[in-house]
Amino acid sequence: MNRILSKSQNIENSTNKRHRKEKRFKSLCLGAVIVAILFLIILLSSLAYKGLSGFTKTTIQIPIYFNEEIIDPENTRDIAVINKASFRKIFKQSLLQKFPEAKDNRKMYRNISKIFSRGSTYLLKKMVLDDISLIGKTINVDLISSSTIDQLRKNNINIKVPESDRPVSDATLKIYDQLNTEGVIKKRLNFSFFKYGDSRNPEEAGILGALLGSMFTLIITLLLSFPIGVLTAIYLEEFAPKNKFTYFIEININNLAAVPSIVFGLLGLAIFLNFFGLPRSVPLTGGLVLTLMTLPTVIISSRASLKAVPPTIREAALGLGASKLQAVFNHVVPSAAPGMFTGTIIGMARALGETAPLLLMGMVAFIVEVPTSIFDPATVLPAQIYLWADSPERGFVEKTSAAIIVLVLFLIIMNSLAIWLRRKFEVRW
Amino acid sequence: MIKNDNIKITTNDLCVFYDEKQALFDVNISINEKETTALIGPSGCGKSTLLRCFNRMNDTIENCVVKGNINIDNANVNNPEIDVVQLRTKIGMVFQKPNPFPKSIFDNVAYGPKIHGMAKNKLELEEIVEKSLKQAGLWSEVKDRLSQPGTSLSGGQQQRLCIARAIAVRPEIILMDEPCSALDPIATANIEELMDELKKEFTIIIVTHNMQQAARVSKNTAFFHLGKLIELGPTDQIFTNPKLEKTQDYITGRYG
Amino acid sequence: MNTTLLTILIISLSIFAFYYAVYKIKSAQSLNTKHRPLHSYYGWYCLFWTIFPALLFFCLWTFCSSIWIDKTIINIITLSINEEGATNISLQLNAIKNAANGILTDQVPKEILSNYISLNQKSEFIRFIATLGIAIIGLFFLIRKINPDLRARNKIESILMVLMFIASFIAIIVTLGIVLSLLFETLKFFSDVSPFEFFFGTTWSPQIALREDQVAASGSFGAIPVFTGTLLITIIAMCVAIPIGLLAAIYLAEYASQRTRTIVKPLLEILAGIPTVVYGFFAALTVGPFIRNIGETFGLSIASESALAAGLVMGIMIIPFISSLSDDVISAVPNSLREGSYGLGATKYETIILVIFPAALPGIIGSILLATSRAIGETMIVVMAAGLTAKLTANPLESVTTVTVQIVTLLIGDHEFDSSKTMAAFALGLTLFIITLILNVIALKVVLKYREKYE
């Protein structure tokens, strides 16, 4: 069949070769797409693999005797007295009761106490302050384990290697096994991860501070960049005369969109912090810098959606005797609004993931307190990730990945919202 | 009717679908060798679709399905085993808008021979280019600026360049999809003159909106309406004495 | 005396202003029925003049008074410590400010602290009273002016026009701010360190200059190793991103069916939307050790912060930029060219390589330039996965540092703002800004020209 159509043997021979080349090229291109998607899968799955365990914690149940003689010997039940009491002693007493063999063995006691989080004594104190009737009683308390034990339970520590090469000693391991057979070691969802700020101890560190910091920063960014961006877009698209000056503004905006984010950090450092003397490490200044960074995105997408509104709408409004401003604000802007919102949300999502300029604005400090306003020192979610990623403790790895999962989740929500908005309210002319 | 002694192409119940929409209905047409056949009809009647079936150009449209047979030299073009690359070396095509590649004039013409390996060396290639440009009546105009981009030519010259590009591959059939619709009257006259020359060597099928053009250049004419072949016959007869009323209405401009 | 109370008061005043103006114009117009423009314009007009001057005053006062208080306190500090020498006045000032906010870092003199607090309180009191006063004055002044002859709509429109003009001016101010702040600090830096040393010196060790009073603590600021490090990582990244991104773009534009496109494009967009700090974490914790382990099995010693790891991950990050920009560019090549080529019997491969690629080349170059500029300016990946010490090497298995890494390490944390160390960061920043700016301008020009050609 081919023979009949082909013009000469010569061409037919060469076509086979050409078709092979074609196939090779096509599979090469497909390969590139597959590699790119594979990267995405590897990235996300490695994060999920490392991070999902960060949402659980390990607790160890032991009986605690709230010895009245230590907490409140004079039976005053005064909060000040309880606050001053040594809960370390309570803790030690209860531990020694559980492990009597450690009584005269300081090294062994140290090993045992290392199983528990360093915050355990605070937890006990808080329990008593919440419920004074506990004093004098013995109850089973689920104490949070130390990060090392947590990692041990999650099989993140290789116990086959020699003792000197791993963070748990043989003695600790023995105690762990003993507790494990007793069935007091339990896995729980780590809600405190969302309830507390940063901490030096991985098992106590939470992202609430960073989440609120990000929220305050984004609020500032949104409140400033949306009105300014939209007004700029409306001016440039609808009112600005087409002259050199307008062109200069446009060039500026396009270039600002591509300026590396770290340069905005330098700008913020030199102008906001150094020249204007605004406070460091607070969401206010962080938000200001992110505003400058987000503005071009908002302006460009708002202009695009204004451009998509056909001129007939403007002419119709003008023809009814509306002023130019009325035509624009009553008719053009409402039809362009979904596009503007979409652009703003995408800009906000980018601002949420941005780290570099905030590093220079001092938003990477170790801050335990949860911020309550835009003037409180705070850190943001990506900066928290950076801080934790830099920490040497093994326990912070899963915290970092867990925080990344939270961040990516927020980004997915924001982007889906943008896509939904675009689909739902998009007007086709 | 047309004399059926030297038939080059015949179609057999050819149907074309774009998704759900049917564009051609059971078309049976035969086209003679080394003659010019014009396809006329109102917009959207399927004449361009039919043209693009001959060299399987419809393959490039994702949702297009072609059913039925197209026989060229007794081989079914629509057979999936047919190699479109070889098919298209045999059937050249000229498009509605001149579409020279963003390359030099020489490279535009040399493109086909190069990819098909038709020239053994540079000298042969130059020969082919010169011959094709001469045949397209463009040689005298461009011989001194072969290295300039093809897009620098005027519209009519560009279209003749595209024709030269097509005949450089030495096809047997040339498909022309409204080749003059983007050109001014003088350029159109040039192309028509050229077609008169080309039909000595090639089988030409031309789609046109311009009925005077069809009358001027073609020997046979096929009239299409709503995806159906209404009438096929010698051009003189179609334009002066059509058998069907529909054809008559269209020719006289009662609708279109 | 807090700001919350002030905000509530101002907001309620403005709401009152709005409704009172509307009420007043309505009652005035019932007498004069000739023309009745929209009432709300009067409300908005009144509201604007209630809030705006007050807000302006508030911001100005806050800014000026904080500067004035700082100056007063600095004077007191310089007077009080004469024997210790004026070591760190600004640090002391910071300590006092922190103490006033309840964060006790250092010991601060009690009397200066109380002085500071009382000054602050006075300033806030004046601010509160004056802001409220200005709002009330504005309100009354406007209410008196409200009558049907006042063309409120025109006034509102001119206010809006002015606001819009100011908003669009901000883009210029930001660019100007970037240029001036970078230039200012850089010039100061170049008065300490010669530009020649900076641009052609081959030793970069700014960390020596820990404190100003150290002897011979100037450090050395030859930025060549920093630039080459940036170049090395960028080249590695582009070696990964250009082939993969370009081939993927070709696949999406030329081969993929509509359905594949709708699935694959969003997936690539996810890759682009992942924050860079995540890539940095991935590079530092997964890719870096992975490459080192591979090296070990082949008997190579690879630094765990190798340029290869950082460049590779940066390349992955850049892939979607190149692929989506190039996809747009390739799709913009008119279909007639494709058909012309297919019509001559060319295969898809030949059409792509011989016709489409040359036609799309300017646009593709533009997208590569934009991606390169992004790679050069990328910070978090290299901060987390590349090294800190500047090494002059072209070996991708060694650890190098980049411009952005140096900016961050020089400027992170508390520091003396006027040391050569911090100013060096600004000099690096200016260099970075200029290079990316040039790349962007060329890229935008090329892409724009390309678009014009096919539209």
Side-chain angles (χ1 to χ4, degrees):
Chain A
M1 187 92 65
N2 268 341
R3 178 75 34 89
I4 306 165
L5 267 174
S6 71
K7 299 203 322 183
S8 69
Q9 195 62 38
N10 191 8
I11 287 193
E12 195 195 325
N13 283 343
S14 74
T15 42
N16 288 333
K17 218 164 144 196
R18 286 162 65 195
H19 283 303
R20 275 202 298 278
K21 224 179 211 172
E22 156 83 24
K23 269 200 193 111
R24 231 179 297 146
F25 184 67
K26 187 180 175 181
S27 33
L28 191 66
C29 291
L30 182 63
V33 173
I34 290 173
V35 166
I37 291 174
L38 213 62
F39 279 140
L40 179 70
I41 292 170
I42 292 173
L43 179 65
L44 292 182
S45 56
S46 93
L47 288 177
Y49 173 71
K50 281 194 186 122
L52 284 178
S53 62
F55 296 109
T56 63
K57 63 182 173 188
T58 307
T59 60
I60 303 163
Q61 196 181 57
I62 59 159
I64 297 280
Y65 172 46
F66 292 99
N67 192 341
E68 191 173 2
E69 271 162 42
I70 297 172
I71 300 173
D72 190 12
E74 272 132 55
N75 202 1
T76 55
R77 296 297 186 263
D78 185 358
I79 288 175
V81 175
I82 296 172
N83 250 331
K84 272 197 188 132
S86 166
F87 280 85
R88 180 176 290 275
K89 265 190 198 155
I90 298 270
F91 181 58
K92 185 168 182 180
Q93 212 172 42
S94 304
L95 274 192
L96 289 180
Q97 214 146 35
K98 172 97 186 159
F99 302 97
E101 64 273 26
K103 220 158 229 165
D104 300 314
N105 188 341
R106 283 186 67 179
K107 200 177 161 208
M108 184 168 175
Y109 174 72
R110 208 180 306 139
N111 273 330
I112 293 171
S113 69
K114 261 195 200 159
I115 290 180
F116 298 93
S117 160
R118 259 173 279 180
S120 297
T121 49
Y122 294 102
L123 181 84
L124 295 178
K125 186 197 266 186
K126 203 169 161 277
M127 282 177 71
V128 174
L129 286 174
D130 286 350
D131 183 6
I132 289 177
S133 70
L134 285 178
I135 297 174
K137 287 181 192 158
T138 303
I139 43 168
N140 283 326
V141 179
D142 283 324
L143 286 174
I144 299 168
S145 77
S146 72
S147 176
T148 324
I149 295 300
D150 190 36
Q151 293 301 314
L152 189 64
R153 182 187 61 74
K154 289 166 181 165
N155 293 326
N156 284 341
I157 292 172
N158 186 2
I159 50 174
K160 299 243 164 57
V161 297
E163 189 177 0
S164 55
D165 288 354
R166 55 179 141 92
V168 273
S169 62
D170 284 339
T172 316
L173 215 57
K174 215 176 123 200
I175 300 162
Y176 174 79
D177 285 338
Q178 184 197 332
L179 289 168
N180 215 357
T181 45
E182 278 176 40
V184 293
I185 294 182
K186 283 176 198 145
K187 167 185 161 182
R188 273 159 208 270
L189 276 183
N190 189 4
F191 287 113
S192 54
F193 184 61
F194 296 99
K195 283 201 296 210
Y196 300 111
D198 198 2
S199 167
R200 295 271 184 228
N201 304 328
E203 71 273 11
E204 292 180 321
I207 53 166
L208 183 67
L211 270 180
L212 286 177
S214 272
M215 192 187 81
F216 286 129
T217 312
L218 276 197
I219 287 175
I220 296 284
T221 311
L222 180 66
L223 287 183
L224 289 173
S225 65
F226 182 67
I228 296 177
V230 167
L231 281 179
T232 307
I234 295 174
Y235 178 75
L236 290 178
E237 200 56 41
E238 305 285 340
F239 298 104
K242 293 275 169 282
N243 57 21
K244 280 224 167 115
F245 184 68
T246 313
Y247 181 65
F248 182 60
I249 294 180
E250 280 174 25
I251 287 194
N252 264 311
I253 291 169
N254 284 336
N255 280 325
L256 281 181
V259 165
S261 58
I262 186 95
V263 172
F264 286 101
L266 287 172
L267 168 81
L269 184 63
I271 301 225
F272 294 143
L273 297 190
N274 201 35
F275 186 70
F276 285 128
L278 291 175
R280 251 172 163 281
S281 309
V282 301
L284 175 70
T285 37
L288 278 175
V289 170
L290 289 187
T291 300
L292 301 186
M293 219 192 69
T294 322
L295 259 181
T297 317
V298 179
I299 295 173
I300 290 170
S301 60
S302 298
R303 285 192 70 178
S305 55
L306 283 170
K307 217 174 241 162
V309 179
T312 47
I313 299 284
R314 296 173 185 84
E315 283 156 15
L318 290 176
L320 289 170
S323 71
K324 178 104 202 248
L325 236 112
Q326 279 174 320
V328 169
F329 277 90
N330 295 345
H331 299 283
V332 180
V333 173
S335 3
M340 292 173 169
F341 293 143
T342 311
T344 309
I345 294 173
I346 288 171
M348 287 298 121
R350 203 173 296 168
L352 175 61
E354 194 53 70
T355 327
L358 299 179
L359 293 188
L360 302 192
M361 305 302 287
M363 292 195 82
V364 278
F366 171 72
I367 294 156
V368 179
E369 288 87 11
V370 172
T372 53
S373 81
I374 55 167
F375 302 106
D376 285 347
T379 186
V380 290
L381 203 44
Q384 185 72 74
I385 291 167
Y386 168 67
L387 270 178
W388 283 349
D390 245 17
S391 306
E393 286 95 339
R394 185 72 182 74
F396 273 120
V397 172
E398 62 172 24
K399 294 283 165 186
T400 317
S401 305
I404 287 175
I405 291 175
V406 173
L407 176 64
V408 170
L409 223 58
F410 270 103
L411 290 177
I412 289 175
I413 291 172
M414 289 172 87
N415 281 307
S416 319
L417 186 69
I419 292 170
W420 177 79
L421 256 178
R422 187 160 51 196
R423 293 247 168 96
K424 169 119 199 203
F425 295 105
E426 194 178 41
V427 189
R428 292 211 176 272
W429 302 98
Chain B
M1 271 315 283
I2 303 172
K3 282 184 283 164
N4 282 352
D5 49 355
N6 57 346
I7 289 176
K8 183 81 178 166
I9 307 173
T10 58
T11 68
N12 215 333
D13 292 339
L14 187 69
C15 299
V16 178
F17 302 84
Y18 295 107
D19 284 334
E20 305 294 291
K21 200 175 155 280
Q22 189 165 1
L24 280 184
F25 298 84
D26 300 321
V27 172
N28 293 296
I29 192 173
S30 52
I31 285 157
N32 286 354
E33 192 167 12
K34 297 196 176 154
E35 282 176 11
T36 303
T37 305
L39 311 181
I40 61 168
S43 300
C45 68
K47 51 194 191 308
S48 284
T49 304
L50 174 66
L51 196 74
R52 294 166 63 94
C53 281
F54 293 138
N55 66 346
R56 296 244 319 247
M57 225 32 194
N58 287 328
D59 286 12
T60 58
I61 299 167
E62 218 172 282
N63 53 2
C64 182
V65 179
V66 181
K67 282 182 185 149
N69 290 343
I70 306 163
N71 297 307
I72 297 181
D73 291 341
N74 297 321
N76 182 9
V77 166
N78 215 14
N79 186 332
E81 278 169 31
I82 287 281
D83 183 358
V84 289
V85 167
Q86 288 180 28
L87 174 70
R88 287 172 190 161
T89 60
K90 196 169 152 156
I91 307 175
M93 189 165 191
V94 177
F95 297 84
Q96 193 167 352
K97 253 174 74 185
N99 55 352
F101 301 136
K103 299 166 175 292
S104 71
I105 293 170
F106 181 88
D107 285 339
N108 259 288
V109 183
Y111 179 78
K114 252 190 206 160
I115 57 172
H116 296 304
M118 289 166 71
K120 285 196 188 65
N121 50 41
K122 203 159 185 284
L123 216 68
E124 258 186 54
L125 191 65
E126 277 168 11
E127 260 170 44
I128 295 177
V129 171
E130 186 178 338
K131 190 179 164 208
S132 309
L133 281 171
K134 273 182 179 155
Q135 221 169 355
L138 199 61
W139 177 250
S140 57
E141 289 162 60
V142 300
K143 64 170 188 262
D144 299 324
R145 45 176 180 145
L146 287 175
S147 59
Q148 280 182 20
T151 43
S152 66
L153 297 172
S154 72
Q157 286 175 323
Q158 284 189 12
Q159 195 61 300
R160 274 182 284 153
L161 178 66
C162 291
I163 293 173
R165 190 175 69 185
I167 58 184
V169 190
R170 300 285 111 195
E172 294 165 27
I173 303 162
I174 299 177
L175 309 174
M176 294 188 169
D177 189 357
E178 299 180 38
C180 302
S181 65
L183 304 181
D184 60 66
I186 296 173
T188 303
N190 278 334
I191 301 272
E192 284 178 10
E193 215 172 286
L194 173 60
M195 284 168 66
D196 208 42
E197 201 59 38
L198 290 175
K199 75 168 186 231
K200 290 171 194 160
E201 198 181 327
F202 305 98
T203 306
I204 297 176
I205 308 174
I206 177 171
V207 164
T208 179
H209 265 301
N210 181 335
M211 276 178 287
Q212 283 78 30
Q213 185 173 53
R216 281 195 298 268
V217 299
S218 69
K219 186 158 184 207
N220 298 312
T221 296
F223 170 61
F224 284 83
H225 184 56
L226 294 177
K228 289 181 180 119
L229 173 62
I230 305 296
E231 195 171 347
L232 170 68
T235 303
D236 298 345
Q237 179 237 314
I238 291 272
F239 278 88
T240 53
N241 185 23
K243 286 192 185 125
L244 294 167
E245 204 181 334
K246 250 186 191 163
T247 320
Q248 173 83 26
D249 287 350
Y250 181 71
I251 301 291
T252 53
R254 220 163 286 171
Y255 69 91
Chain C
M1 288 310 124
N2 57 24
T3 359
T4 329
L5 180 65
L6 188 62
T7 319
I8 293 170
L9 279 175
I10 296 283
I11 288 176
S12 33
L13 253 178
S14 59
I15 292 172
F16 170 76
F18 183 86
Y19 282 105
Y20 190 73
V22 171
Y23 163 76
K24 201 180 165 193
I25 195 68
K26 269 186 181 163
S27 48
Q29 273 175 357
S30 59
L31 305 170
N32 174 8
T33 47
K34 241 181 185 176
H35 60 277
R36 32 172 79 240
L38 291 167
H39 300 126
S40 62
Y41 281 110
Y42 291 88
W44 288 117
Y45 187 48
C46 206
L47 181 142
F48 176 80
W49 283 114
T50 312
I51 287 187
F52 182 70
L55 196 68
L56 201 67
F57 172 81
F58 182 87
C59 294
L60 274 178
W61 181 267
T62 311
F63 176 55
C64 295
S65 78
S66 78
I67 287 181
W68 178 71
I69 291 174
D70 280 4
K71 256 200 184 139
T72 324
I73 295 292
I74 285 175
N75 275 339
I76 298 172
I77 296 174
T78 21
L79 284 179
S80 67
I81 39 165
N82 30 20
E83 68 278 3
E84 287 170 61
T87 41
N88 274 323
I89 291 172
S90 59
L91 277 185
Q92 280 234 319
L93 184 65
N94 266 334
I96 288 169
K97 278 184 182 171
N98 283 338
N101 285 330
I103 309 161
L104 267 172
T105 44
D106 301 312
Q107 285 298 319
V108 274
K110 276 241 167 75
E111 67 269 36
I112 302 181
L113 180 63
S114 61
N115 214 330
Y116 176 78
I117 292 175
S118 80
L119 273 176
N120 250 340
Q121 275 171 348
K122 267 184 214 157
S123 148
E124 270 181 36
F125 180 74
I126 296 173
R127 185 175 71 184
F128 184 86
I129 296 295
T131 309
L132 206 58
I134 290 173
I136 292 170
I137 291 169
L139 172 67
F140 274 97
F141 189 66
L142 252 291
I143 291 284
R144 275 183 49 197
K145 266 179 74 179
I146 295 276
N147 67 64
D149 291 333
L150 178 79
R151 314 204 54 179
R153 186 170 64 79
N154 296 18
K155 300 258 182 193
I156 283 287
E157 292 196 348
S158 31
I159 289 173
L160 257 176
M161 284 302 283
V162 170
L163 280 184
M164 283 196 291
F165 187 75
I166 292 172
S168 54
F169 212 76
I170 286 178
I172 292 182
I173 295 177
V174 173
T175 312
L176 209 67
I178 290 176
V179 172
L180 286 185
S181 61
L182 292 181
L183 208 61
F184 187 65
E185 300 294 332
T186 306
L187 287 180
K188 269 205 278 182
F189 173 69
F190 282 149
S191 66
D192 276 6
V193 177
S194 85
F196 186 80
E197 193 204 323
F198 180 72
F199 286 114
F200 300 104
T202 53
T203 350
W204 177 267
S205 54
Q207 306 297 352
I208 297 166
L210 271 177
R211 285 203 314 275
E212 265 183 289
D213 51 333
Q214 276 182 326
V215 189
S218 57
S220 61
F221 294 98
I224 286 283
V226 183
F227 294 146
T228 53
T230 310
L231 194 68
L232 180 62
I233 290 185
T234 307
I235 288 174
I236 296 170
M238 297 321 278
C239 283
V240 174
I242 292 178
I244 297 182
L246 214 52
L247 288 175
I250 290 175
Y251 184 81
L252 288 177
E254 297 292 328
Y255 286 110
S257 66
Q258 194 55 43
R259 249 188 70 204
T260 320
R261 274 174 76 96
T262 50
I263 296 169
V264 173
K265 283 199 98 174
L267 281 179
L268 291 181
E269 269 168 36
I270 293 181
L271 211 51
I274 288 175
T276 52
V277 69
V278 178
Y279 281 108
F281 178 67
F282 181 62
L285 246 89
T286 309
V287 179
F290 178 70
I291 288 178
R292 201 186 45 197
N293 290 343
I294 287 183
E296 269 170 14
T297 56
F298 288 103
L300 283 166
S301 81
I302 299 176
S304 60
E305 298 189 321
S306 64
L308 188 62
L312 198 72
V313 174
M314 198 192 274
I316 297 175
M317 189 201 80
I318 301 285
I319 289 172
F321 286 97
I322 294 195
S323 73
S324 79
L325 282 170
S326 305
D327 181 13
D328 290 348
V329 163
I330 292 171
S331 301
V333 172
N335 222 8
S336 64
L337 288 184
R338 272 180 206 101
E339 297 208 317
S341 176
Y342 294 147
L344 289 168
T347 61
K348 228 166 192 173
Y349 166 73
E350 287 153 358
T351 307
I352 291 166
I353 295 297
L354 298 172
V355 176
I356 295 174
F357 194 76
L361 194 60
I364 288 173
I365 287 175
S367 74
I368 289 175
L369 287 181
L370 278 180
T372 311
S373 131
R374 190 164 278 264
I376 291 174
E378 169 47 41
T379 310
M380 289 320 292
I381 293 177
V382 280
V383 164
M384 294 168 84
L388 291 178
T389 43
K391 218 182 277 176
L392 191 58
T393 174
N395 181 357
L397 304 180
E398 279 188 59
S399 134
V400 294
T401 192
T402 72
V403 173
T404 48
V405 172
Q406 287 310 313
I407 293 175
V408 169
T409 44
L410 290 177
L411 289 181
I412 213 163
D414 275 316
H415 43 73
E416 207 36 45
F417 201 77
D418 283 336
S419 71
S420 314
K421 203 177 121 184
T422 55
M423 291 187 299
F426 281 89
L428 286 176
L430 186 67
T431 322
L432 178 70
F433 177 71
I434 290 174
I435 290 172
T436 52
L437 185 74
I438 291 172
L439 283 174
N440 294 337
V441 169
I442 297 174
L444 285 175
K445 273 232 163 101
V446 169
V447 171
L448 268 184
K449 265 231 170 98
Y450 172 79
R451 284 216 185 113
E452 279 163 13
K453 196 168 139 198
Y454 288 123
E455 263 171 15

